[in-house]
Amino acid sequence: MDLISVLPLASKSCVSLHKPLSSSTHKLKPFCKTIRILGMPRRWKFARPSMSLSTVASDDDIKRRTGGYHSNLWNDDVIQFMSTPYGELAYRERAERLIDEVRNIFSSMSLEDGEFNDLIIQRLWMVDNVERLGIDRHFKNEIKSALDYVYSYWSEKGIGCGTNCIITDLNSTALGFRTLRLHGYPVSAEVLKHFRNQIGQFVSCPRETEEEIRSMVNLYRASLIAFPGEKVMEEAETFSEKYLKETLQKIPDCSLSREIGDVLEHGWHTNLPRFEARNYIDVFGQDTENNMESNRKTEKLLELAKLEFNIFQSIQKTELESLLRWWNDSGSPHITFTRHRHVEYYTLASCIAFEPQHSGFRLGFAKACHIITVLDDMYDLFGTIDEVKLFTAAIKRWDPSATDCLPQYMKGIYMMVYNTVNEMSAEAQKAQGRDTLNYARQAWEDYLDSYMQEAKWIATGYLPTFEEYLENGKVSSGHRVSALQPMLTMDIPFPPHILKEVDLPSNLNDLACAILRLRGDTRCYQEDRARGEETSCISCYMKDNPGATEEDALNHLNVMISGVIKELNWELLKPESSVPISSKKINFDITRAFHYGYKYRDGYSVSSVETKSLVMRTLLEPVPL
């Protein structure tokens, strides 16, 4: 935060801006002189990605800081020249026929004289693959029927591949455990103890066969859905991860090796559903068995997955055009001090909610995140302490006339916030049947108040305790305001008693905000420190623990993050919860999306590497049919 004071604080005038949420139309008289800064250029110029701190001088002699972020990677031409034929009716009709054929495959497994009547593993195989291929939304009833059937044979020692199997096996049990837990069935991790030998190793076959390898793949995938205190899950993760890494060194390059690589690289908490589908399409069915019936199922699933993936891109193109209009109309191209990552945020939203009807969520999430990024850069770098105080007070006033007392560059930003929050509230009212504007405004006010708390710490030179910093940092992470309004636009009911279990004051919201703050700080603290921002989870931990090194602090935070992930798993999947998993899942998935952005680096400041690849792979490039 730039702490140069350029205005008298005028506390009485600032207080007069703040009025109750129930009123938003009273006209304000200007109470301060507008600050002039250099006019913003009208044409956005693209630059090569770079990261460096720089300062710009305004014509009122204020030296303002900018982050030296690289410019927008996706100009209008990139989006406007996107072309896809998959919005045509013929492709949708073909997809509908394939959906019916896949339903018939599910149905054939439940027929008494069907070939797969006694094969539990076939049901699990179908459920697992339609989910990994991103086409499960079409088969909700079939999935529930298949899993009810599997659960009816579940025992404390697991399951075998068929109903007549006396001996349970690791592959069926690990896959069954993972799938059942993810769908809310009460299954205990203790079942995995039955597959350890006398020295604690998990075994299924005496030799290293493909069956053994796949057992370890499914054991590793299951271990990532751990709850707090499940020691056997930690042991399973450690053992299977080591086994799979060693296996990759032994087996040739093939679809199995690429599948193992994807599973190890992305796990579950950073493996966004649409991104997983795109990667799995490339490996699914390439090493098929010499079995006509199995090949037929694989071909149907794969063709449907490819069609669905490409058809959705035609929807994305239309939504991106709408997002670009909003970005241009809001004046965003002229805000030169900030990161412009609206296309990247839209991509993240598309990777966790790619049902066609959730357009409001995808666009709302991209807009909310863009606004958060602008505010973050304005409060942390470009604005002075007096200016951001005025902006915070103006937001609490919630009236366009409040812009009369703001610096020129803040006026457009204020109106972008004001108009977008109001528009999203109108969309939420259509979906939820009630007005949520004041509720959303309070969330935004809390968010900006957390920024002001950080500004006060910087202004006074106070380094907070780790606990103080983390509690405030959960709010300033922006997770809640990024999730709240977009979530309310969905066709998922969020009555007040459900909303309080997903939003404030729920553990789910608290943990989601915590993981974003913790992971974000581990990726950003060095760059923030170079810009003069000393306060972070790392510095506060080192203050609380004299003699601790940065490495000690990072290790501590990584352990905390691992624990928070397990607690998040519990909050999402705990049995007999009064809140359906479907109501909690979107907030959980937003956490996964943000976590992906911080997986390798600060992928929001430097979006030209992994984040760019995600855009290309899930947004711009169709799957070859």
Side-chain angles (χ1 to χ4, degrees), residues 465-482:
T465 66
F466 182 85
E467 184 177 355
E468 283 178 305
Y469 174 79
L470 181 57
E471 284 307 305
N472 188 74
K474 291 175 186 178
V475 185
S476 68
S477 73
H479 182 281
R480 186 189 176 207
V481 285
S482 72

Side-chain angles (χ1 to χ4, degrees), residues 471-532:
E471 284 307 305
N472 188 74
K474 291 175 186 178
V475 185
S476 68
S477 73
H479 182 281
R480 186 189 176 207
V481 285
S482 72
L484 177 59
Q485 288 190 283
M487 184 172 66
L488 291 175
T489 67
M490 303 180 82
D491 59 353
I492 300 172
F494 287 103
H497 73 281
I498 294 291
L499 187 58
K500 72 178 183 180
E501 296 297 328
V502 178
D503 186 49
L504 280 180
S506 71
N507 286 335
L508 180 65
N509 176 77
D510 187 71
L511 293 165
C513 294
I515 198 170
L516 180 54
R517 171 52 61 203
L518 292 168
R519 179 51 75 207
D521 275 20
T522 65
R523 295 291 185 259
C524 304
Y525 78 98
Q526 291 176 323
E527 288 78 10
D528 289 346
R529 187 170 57 197
R531 290 191 290 263

